[in-house]
Structure formats: structure tokens, C-alpha cells
Amino acid sequence: MTILALARPALALALATTSAAALAQAAPAPAAADAPTDREAMSELLAVDEYILRIQALDDNGPRLNAVIDYDPAAAVKARQQAGIGPLRGRTVLVKDNIETAEFPTTAGSLALKDNATGRDAPLIAYLRKNGGVVLGKTNLSEWANIRSDGSTSGWSAVGGLTRNPYAIDRNTCGSSSGSGAAVAAGFAWAAIGTETNGSITCPASTNGIVGFKPSVGIVSRTHVVPISSTQDTAGPMTRTVHDAALLLTAIAGEDKADAATLGAKRVKDYTAGLDTYSLKGVRIGVMRKQLGSRDDLKAIFNTAVADLQRAGAEIVEIDFDPNNAMYGDSFTVLMFELREELGKYLVSIPAFKEGTTPRSLADIIAFNTAHAKEELRWFGQELFTLAESTTDRAAYEKARANAVRIAGAETLDKLLADNKVQFLIAPTRGPAWTTDLVNGDNFGGSVGFGSPSAIAGYPHLTVPMGAIEGLPVGLSIMGAKWDDHAVLKAGAAYEKARTAKLPAPTFRPWRPAE
């Protein structure tokens, strides 16, 4: 879905009428793990027009992925202007539509914010441009980053419609960074930026067959990003390779005086340093066996990934662990309390809309949805918004926050790493994509993965494609200690090189059994 005028319409129409089989053949192949060369940087500059044509052919027409809400037809000119600047050197990036960019409205997928044209760059976007990046456009998302209702369908927003998975367009993209994941998988940009509170980068990355990295909270600024939680929110890269994720993180990471979490963050200057030479020889990795779920096919793919790591020299340590479930309930209390406070602060900060009423509180958003129920509440409600509006007990919140962060961090991740003398923990990220069902909502398919402790404690979590089930991608999660972001990325790059699984290409058609 796009708002700006189409460029080169004749060629776009030709692409739009291409058969599904031809589109699948034209899909970007799984990227190599080697570090990009100067020639590849130049190739990215030349690819900008092609990205826009792919958006026109596959997002606005054909399978209509609905991954992109808006794009800049002048991006190619801007990429050439940025060609000699910083580490990105004109590379194009799509940005989740809860992150402010000066040229586009920032809606969080809600019609209540359709006129939210602030004219501001979030600091992370300012860093992106300073380091040679180009904002190609804005991506669709699960509305309000999937915090409005327990009955939601990931990838749907009132502004952008339903995002479709490029690997099977009747399957879900997961969320809430749905459009960012689908767009990278479909070859709509060099990379995308997503945001995560709990699983919103890693799940859509896994489900769409790409790399996703949730950094330690504080590495990247959250100012001018539509918030849920000051404790857990962060932005992060969504890319085709681990090297690209590290390169994009290098470009967007930085201190922000308006975001206290960034002031003491332990960053490195270049997150790509050492990725191409890092060895897993002698590195101890903990395997979270109880977090694999019940699917034999997923276990088989995961066991192949473990064998790949062993063959690369890693020492595998089997871990039998049951988490303290109290952290989940306490984290939920934190999200409900912080949503009302943090969203209210954000809404107060935005400039008044040129037309209509500017919402200034969560209560205003609830009232807007009620008044526009046909557009906003057809598929699911807003019971979490209502609960957040009434979650006002600060003492209970502070106790819950202390408990959640302690259990997830010191008593879970730190303890597992120390007691087992391992540097990283691994598990499947999620199972394969489920069939999208707007009437009944999401079906995550059982308890798979171990990403919540990293989200709750604010620790790094990387997902890397590890294979597919009947053509549907699944990812490998690699988790480490707080501020160990660089090490986690290096481990991911090493796994990428060692991986033996064959990765599928997007089909841009409904799912059918693999032949």
C-alpha cells in the first residue's frame, strides 16, 4: 500500500502482471554470509529503483503484501547523495511506522494518528542519515505494536491493512514488526528497522526467513518512537544477513540525552568488526532443550543447527530448565502501567494536527476507537487499552518491575550462563507461520522459544534463519548477557557460515505442500 505517486508506471505494470511463478523465480535468493564488498555497496545504490518497482509490483499489485505503507520515489537520488557518507554509503532502509521520520506521518497503524506528521526525525533516524542511510519508506505493523488486544491478528492495522507473508501469502507474518519482516524477505529494501517489546523483531524475522536483532535496551534511542514500555522497548535491525544487521546497528546506535537508558549503554564503535573471522572453536553454547516445543520437524531442524555449531567447533551444553513463571505476570503489569504513562507522554509531545482532534492520552485513543469502531474494532477489541487505563497503582508497578527484571536477568539468564559456564543460549525462535485468521486471531502453535527473558531483562537476542518446514521459514535464537551484543552477532555470523540447511525462497502465492 503506497501513498506517494508511482514512478516508471509502465515497467511497474509489466511487473505487476507477471505470473506468480515468475515472481517466485525473481525473489531474492538467500544472501551469502560473507562481508559485503565495495562493489556490493555500489550495487545497492543501483538497486534503489528496483526496490521501488518491486514494491509497486508485489505490494501494491500482484500478491499485495501490504508490507509498505508509504515510500519515497526520490530515494534513488538521495541514495546517490549519501553514497560517500558513513558506513551505510547510501543504503536504503524501510522504517516501521511507529518510528518518526521527518518526511512521513507516524501512525503506529492507527487512524487516530493518520495526521501525525511531526516533521521530526527520531534520534535513531538522525543517526541513520548521519551514517549514510536513506529512509526508503515506512512499513506496516500490528496496530499499536500489538498491545491493544489479546485477540489481535498480527500484521493487521487500520492504516495499512493485513500484511502477508512472502513465503505463503495466506500465512501470518507474526508481529508487531510485520511489514519490516515481510519487506526485507520480499526484497523491497536493503534492510528495515523494527521495534520490540517482547518478540516483535525476532518473531517476524523468524517467520519471514530473515535475520532480526533485538539489542540490549539502551543501545538504540527510543525518543520519538511510539512507546509501550520504557523498561522493554527497543528498535533494532531486520536484514538478510547477520553482517547487514551489525552494519545497520552500527549506524543507528548512539546516546540520546532524552533517553536515560542510553546514557550508560556499553556500545562498540563497529558491530561488524571481527564478524568474518570469528571462530566458534571452544565456545560453550547452552541448548535450551525444554523450550523446543512438541513438533518433531522443528526439533529435527534445530538438531541440524546444533550439529552445524558443533562441526564449527562449539562445545554444546544441554540445559534442562523450567523458568519462574512469575516474571511473565509481573512483566504484564509493567507493560500495562507503562503503556498509559509512556503513550501519554508521547502524545503530549506531538505537534497539533492541522485538521481534526489531536489525541493527548490513552483515554483519547480509546475514545477514538469507540467512535470509529467500524474501522478500528471490527476484527478485535481494545481490552488491553482499557486495562492499561485503569492500571494506576505505582507501588504495585514498581514491585512488579523489580521482580520481573530480577527474575528474567539475574535469576534466569545470568544464572544459566554462569552455572553452565556457557557464553550463549540457543533455542528455536518460533514455529512456522500459521494461517492468518482475522476472525479468530493469532495461533502461535504452542510454547516454542526462550526469547521472553531477554525481552523482559533488556538483553540481546538474535534470530538467524535455520531452515524451513514445508517451505515455511524457522529461525535459530542466540541469546547472551547484557551488553554482549557484539559477541552475539559474531556467534550468529559464525553459525550463518556453518549452516547446512537449505533455505527456501519466497513464493508470493498461497501455501501448498512442498513437492
Side-chain angles (χ1 to χ4, degrees):
M1 173 182 177
T2 56
I3 296 170
L4 298 182
L6 299 181
R8 298 167 67 183
L11 184 52
L13 179 61
L15 282 171
T17 56
T18 303
S19 70
L23 288 172
Q25 292 176 358
D34 296 333
T37 63
D38 287 346
R39 181 177 297 176
E40 288 167 354
M42 182 58 67
S43 177
E44 281 295 326
L45 288 177
L46 299 175
V48 181
D49 284 331
E50 174 67 17
Y51 291 145
I52 292 175
L53 291 173
R54 289 183 69 84
I55 291 169
Q56 293 169 356
L58 298 168
D59 211 64
D60 299 331
N61 297 282
R64 295 188 180 273
L65 297 183
N66 285 338
V68 178
I69 287 176
D70 205 347
Y71 66 86
D72 184 355
V77 174
K78 295 176 182 178
R80 288 191 290 272
Q81 292 170 344
Q82 292 279 76
I85 297 175
L88 295 188
R89 300 172 63 187
R91 288 176 170 87
T92 54
V93 179
L94 287 164
V95 178
K96 185 177 179 180
D97 196 29
N98 61 348
I99 302 170
E100 289 190 17
T101 67
E103 63 269 63
F104 298 110
T106 298
T107 72
S110 171
L111 294 173
L113 294 185
K114 68 180 178 62
D115 296 315
N116 185 34
T118 68
R120 307 184 300 201
D121 273 343
L124 75 92
I125 298 299
Y127 278 120
L128 176 80
R129 297 190 208 270
K130 179 181 178 181
N131 286 305
V134 175
V135 174
L136 178 58
K138 299 296 271 306
T139 56
N140 200 6
L141 68 160
S142 308
E143 185 170 318
W144 294 110
N146 240 355
I147 197 64
R148 205 185 80 190
S149 171
D150 279 331
S152 66
T153 294
S154 293
W156 180 89
S157 74
V159 169
L162 178 66
T163 312
R164 297 178 174 88
N165 191 317
Y167 287 86
I169 59 174
D170 54 347
R171 296 279 172 151
N172 201 266
T173 53
C174 200
S176 62
S177 303
S178 312
S180 295
V184 173
F188 292 168
W190 170 71
I193 299 173
T195 66
E196 176 162 326
T197 305
N198 191 337
S200 286
I201 289 173
T202 53
C203 185
S206 175
T207 303
N208 288 281
I210 66 169
V211 173
F213 185 58
K214 184 203 81 71
S216 296
V217 171
I219 297 291
V220 179
S221 165
R222 288 89 53 84
T223 299
H224 302 333
V225 179
V226 181
I228 294 174
S229 167
S230 56
T231 298
Q232 295 180 205
D233 287 353
T234 184
M238 302 178 74
T239 60
R240 294 179 64 211
T241 69
V242 175
H243 186 279
D244 287 351
L247 185 62
L248 183 51
L249 182 63
T250 299
I252 65 176
E255 187 174 287
D256 170 19
K257 292 180 180 179
D259 184 353
T262 69
L263 301 182
K266 297 180 181 178
R267 302 179 190 85
V268 300
K269 184 177 180 180
D270 180 5
Y271 285 96
T272 70
L275 261 65
D276 55 341
T277 58
Y278 181 76
S279 172
L280 288 171
K281 186 175 182 180
V283 176
R284 288 172 61 86
I285 297 176
V287 175
M288 305 303 298
R289 279 290 166 193
K290 282 194 171 181
Q291 283 68 44
L292 306 190
S294 60
R295 296 186 62 119
D296 290 339
D297 46 10
L298 182 60
K299 291 178 182 178
I301 292 170
F302 178 72
N303 287 336
T304 297
V306 172
D308 290 341
L309 291 166
Q310 283 183 301
R311 190 170 48 258
E315 297 180 15
I316 298 300
V317 179
E318 300 286 340
I319 297 177
D320 184 347
F321 178 75
D322 292 306
N324 181 346
N325 290 333
M327 68 176 157
Y328 304 123
D330 286 333
S331 172
F332 182 71
T333 297
V334 170
L335 300 191
M336 291 297 95
F337 186 92
E338 291 184 348
L339 172 61
R340 178 181 53 80
E341 286 212 334
E342 299 301 325
L343 184 57
K345 292 176 186 176
Y346 173 79
L347 294 172
V348 167
S349 81
I350 63 177
F353 298 166
K354 292 182 179 179
E355 298 180 2
T357 302
T358 307
R360 297 299 186 187
S361 67
L362 176 58
D364 289 348
I365 300 297
I366 293 170
F368 178 93
N369 291 339
T370 301
H372 299 82
K374 182 178 178 181
E375 298 87 355
E376 285 287 355
L377 302 180
R378 177 179 179 183
W379 302 117
F380 53 89
Q382 56 177 339
E383 69 275 6
L384 294 184
F385 273 8
T386 302
L387 178 60
E389 182 63 19
S390 65
T391 302
T392 58
D393 187 334
R394 180 169 294 277
Y397 152 71
E398 290 176 349
K399 180 179 179 181
R401 185 183 185 281
N403 287 343
V405 171
R406 184 191 71 252
I407 294 170
E411 297 179 7
T412 298
L413 294 171
D414 293 345
K415 184 173 174 56
L416 285 170
L417 294 167
D419 289 356
N420 294 282
K421 297 181 174 60
V422 296
Q423 188 171 1
F424 309 109
L425 303 171
I426 61 170
T429 306
R430 275 286 179 188
W434 58 94
T435 302
T436 297
D437 185 344
L438 284 166
V439 175
N440 293 307
D442 286 331
N443 176 16
F444 287 98
S447 180
V448 176
F450 195 59
S452 286
S454 296
I456 295 168
Y459 288 22
H461 177 186
L462 173 71
T463 182
V464 184
M466 68 171 179
I469 296 172
E470 295 289 341
L472 301 173
V474 289
L476 174 71
S477 285
I478 304 174
M479 296 150 285
K482 181 84 169 184
W483 310 126
D484 249 2
D485 301 63
H486 192 202
V488 169
L489 288 163
K490 287 191 286 187
Y495 165 68
E496 210 173 34
K497 289 182 179 180
R499 180 181 55 211
T500 58
K502 183 179 179 181
L503 302 182
T507 68
F508 302 104
R509 58 169 171 76
W511 179 83
R512 59 179 180 233
E515 297 176 355

